[in-house]
């Protein structure tokens, strides 16, 4: 991603959802429809707040003002305003609510927008004045005049999407002079003499309009595997899954040597296509000396979420001849579930021995295997 050295600090978004959404077939505004655990509006807000956007104005209808304010109350830096009779009027009211340097205008009914599209739109607006998400037309488009159809050159045709990013001063000026009916913000911008610049959008960034659009897309899943082993020594605490176990020996390592948590971290990082814990938390860095592996696990979870994934489930096995772990496994599962902000039934931990074979069988080491499934964060869950 390209950043401008003189990048404006104040970047905001206007999310427009003041329409009725009658084509959706829903008995309520489609932005209040639940997708997984979150509404369409919340999913849109969540994506923008993971970018450089530092303030959001939500424009809604008088009928939905109470529900939208309830949703906004769970976030910081969100303003809710009532829109006008047309989309153009609603956008203009949203722009007036929060002056800034760069503003992105987005349809609240596009909850599948990506952080990458938002960031590229911002970059384009900083450098060129605007950044309009768009995708090439995949269908042949016909123009009909006097009953005769004429094909338009498909290579020159694009479907405009949102977000559409602009220098705030320019788009505010354009909307203050807007007169007529406009289909999107880029048209308003162009009508005022400015030049819209397109950026690459995504076919996944669809606008929820008809009943068929509300059928949730299948989530993609990724599988990860992790393994770790540490030697047992005297003078160290034995910590597994964040739980301190009463035993005469402990695991040797640069951190607290929590072999189970290490295996789980590597499984999560593997599934998310991220570097392993040896790269992220090297044992040559003194800031990780003696650190709790649960603290590192929470950092790993943050990295996984930033990649756009949530945990489906985790399965782990501790390989140890001694001590016997069955009595503490419930505590270990709860500790890990709390650290990962998941339900306890999403993580299973078991224990086995090597039948007294090898380093582990001689009670000189403990190892752990872990596997996990990550799924796309289409629920907007954190």
């Amino acid at each position: 991603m390209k950043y401008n050295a003189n990048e404006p600090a104040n970047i905001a978004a206007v999310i427009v959802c003041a329409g009725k959404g009658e084509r959706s077939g829903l008995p309520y505004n489609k932005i209040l429809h639940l997708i997984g655990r979150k509404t369409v509006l919340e999913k849109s807000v969540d994506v923008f707040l993971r970018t450089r956007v530092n303030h959001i104005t939500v424009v809604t209808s008088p009928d939905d003002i109470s529900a939208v304010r309830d949703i906004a109350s769970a976030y910081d830096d969100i303003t809710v305003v009532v829109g006008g009779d047309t989309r153009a009027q609603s956008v203009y009211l949203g722009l007036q609510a929060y002056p800034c340097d760069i503003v992105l205008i987005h349809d609240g009914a596009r909850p599948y927008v990506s952080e990458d599209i938002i960031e590229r739109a911002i970059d384009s607006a900083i450098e060129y004045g605007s950044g309009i998400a768009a995708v090439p037309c995949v269908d042949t488009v016909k123009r009909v005049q006097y009953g005769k159809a004429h094909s338009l050159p498909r290579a020159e045709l694009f479907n405009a999407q949102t977000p559409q990013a602009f220098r705030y001063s320019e788009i505010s000026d354009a909307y203050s002079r807007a007169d007529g009916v406009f289909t999107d913000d880029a048209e308003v911008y162009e009508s005022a003499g400015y030049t819209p610049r397109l950026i690459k959008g995504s076919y996944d960034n669809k606008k929820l309009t008809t009943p068929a659009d509300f059928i949730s897309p299948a989530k993609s899943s990724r599988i990860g595997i992790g393994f770790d082993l540490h030697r047992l020594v005297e003078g160290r605490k034995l910590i597994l899954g964040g739980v301190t176990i009463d035993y005469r020996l402990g695991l040797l390592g640069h951190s607290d040597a929590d072999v189970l948590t290490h295996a789980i971290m590597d499984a999560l990082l593997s599934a998310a296509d991220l570097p392993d814990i040896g790269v992220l938390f090297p044992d040559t860095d003194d800031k990780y000396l003696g650190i709790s592996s649960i603290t590192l696990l929470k950092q790993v979870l943050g990295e996984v979420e930033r990649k756009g994934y949530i945990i489906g489930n985790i399965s782990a096995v501790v390989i140890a001849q001694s001590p016997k772990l069955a009595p503490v496994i419930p505590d270990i599962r709860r500790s890990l579930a709390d650290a990962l902000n998941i339900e306890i039934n999403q993580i299973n931990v078991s224990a086995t021995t090597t039948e007294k074979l090898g380093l582990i069988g001689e009670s000189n080491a403990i190892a752990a295997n872990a596997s996990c499934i990550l799924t796309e964060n289409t629920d907007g869950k954190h």
Side-chain angles (χ1 to χ4, degrees):
M1 183 186 308
K2 178 174 63 176
Y3 290 91
N4 190 302
N6 300 314
E7 177 184 337
N10 196 0
I11 300 172
V14 174
I15 297 181
V16 187
C17 45
K20 296 181 179 179
E22 294 173 341
R23 286 179 291 172
S24 69
L26 298 171
Y28 47 83
N29 193 327
K30 59 191 174 185
I31 57 104
L32 303 177
H33 182 71
L34 283 173
I35 300 178
R37 300 184 182 187
K38 296 221 172 183
T39 63
V40 170
L41 175 58
E42 287 172 292
K43 285 178 61 61
S44 296
V45 168
D46 286 343
V47 180
F48 276 86
L49 291 181
R50 293 198 295 268
T51 68
R52 285 174 282 171
V53 170
N54 54 42
H55 186 275
I56 293 175
T57 299
V58 177
V59 186
T60 186
S61 68
D63 293 340
D64 300 317
I65 187 71
S66 177
V68 171
R69 280 179 175 161
D70 284 345
I71 291 171
S73 67
Y75 299 90
D76 296 326
D77 300 319
I78 291 187
T79 300
V80 180
V81 299
V82 175
D85 294 332
T86 66
R87 185 184 185 279
Q89 291 173 357
S90 294
V91 172
Y92 183 57
L93 291 169
L95 290 171
Q96 288 183 310
Y98 188 82
C100 55
D101 298 309
I102 296 294
V103 64
L104 299 99
I105 303 170
H106 185 65
D107 293 327
R110 289 189 189 268
Y112 300 117
V113 62
S114 69
E115 295 170 48
D116 182 58
I117 292 175
I118 294 169
E119 295 287 5
R120 284 189 284 106
I122 292 171
D123 286 339
S124 181
I126 290 170
E127 186 166 357
Y128 303 107
S130 63
I132 315 301
V135 292
C137 247
V138 295
D139 298 316
T140 298
V141 179
K142 302 286 188 181
R143 169 185 261 171
V144 179
Q145 291 179 307
Y146 308 111
K148 295 182 179 180
H150 305 275
S151 295
L152 299 180
R154 189 169 61 185
E156 299 176 5
L157 300 177
F158 288 77
N159 291 325
Q161 302 179 327
T162 64
Q164 299 188 4
F166 307 91
R167 291 181 186 136
Y168 178 84
S169 59
E170 295 177 357
I171 192 65
S172 294
D173 170 61
Y175 264 103
S176 71
R177 295 190 280 130
D179 183 21
V181 178
F182 301 93
T183 58
D184 72 344
D185 311 295
E187 189 177 3
V188 175
Y189 188 71
E190 185 178 13
S191 72
Y194 300 105
T195 303
R197 187 178 182 91
L198 299 188
I199 65 157
K200 182 182 178 182
S202 169
Y203 294 105
D204 293 331
N205 182 25
K206 67 179 182 179
K207 185 177 181 181
L208 304 182
T209 304
T210 67
D213 295 329
F214 289 85
I215 300 173
S216 296
K219 298 180 181 180
S220 68
S221 299
R222 296 177 66 96
I223 297 173
I225 298 173
F227 173 82
D228 199 21
L229 180 147
H230 283 268
R231 184 180 294 275
L232 283 165
V233 296
E234 294 182 353
R236 294 272 296 186
K237 291 182 179 179
L238 177 58
I239 301 173
L240 293 173
V243 175
T244 301
I245 298 167
D246 185 17
Y247 188 57
R248 61 185 179 84
L249 303 175
L251 293 169
L252 180 64
H254 187 69
S255 63
D256 63 4
D258 184 340
V259 67
L260 172 58
T261 302
H262 290 184
I264 291 171
M265 285 193 287
D266 270 340
L268 293 170
L269 292 167
S270 170
D273 191 27
L274 290 165
D276 62 35
I277 58 174
V279 175
L280 296 181
F281 316 116
D283 59 11
T284 55
D285 192 333
D286 285 345
K287 76 178 176 182
Y288 301 119
L289 183 62
I291 194 170
S292 166
S293 294
I294 292 295
T295 298
L296 300 181
L297 179 63
K298 292 177 181 179
Q299 293 183 37
V300 166
L301 176 63
E303 294 299 317
V304 168
E305 289 180 338
R306 275 187 282 277
K307 289 279 285 188
Y309 295 103
I310 57 174
I311 296 170
N313 74 291
I314 296 170
S315 180
V317 56
V318 180
I319 309 164
Q321 195 65 43
S322 59
K324 298 301 180 185
L325 299 176
V328 296
I329 281 180
D331 293 334
I332 290 173
R333 291 179 67 197
R334 172 52 60 197
S335 170
L336 291 168
D338 288 346
L340 292 167
N341 194 26
I342 59 176
E343 301 295 331
I344 197 167
N345 62 7
Q346 290 177 267
I347 182 163
N348 189 53
V349 177
S350 59
T352 189
T353 71
T354 59
E355 299 294 338
K356 299 185 178 181
L357 296 175
L359 194 65
I360 296 173
E362 294 168 356
S363 296
N364 290 323
I366 293 177
N369 281 321
S371 58
C372 74
I373 292 178
L374 300 182
T375 59
E376 277 187 297
N377 188 7
T378 59
D379 292 344
K381 175 184 175 184
H382 288 277

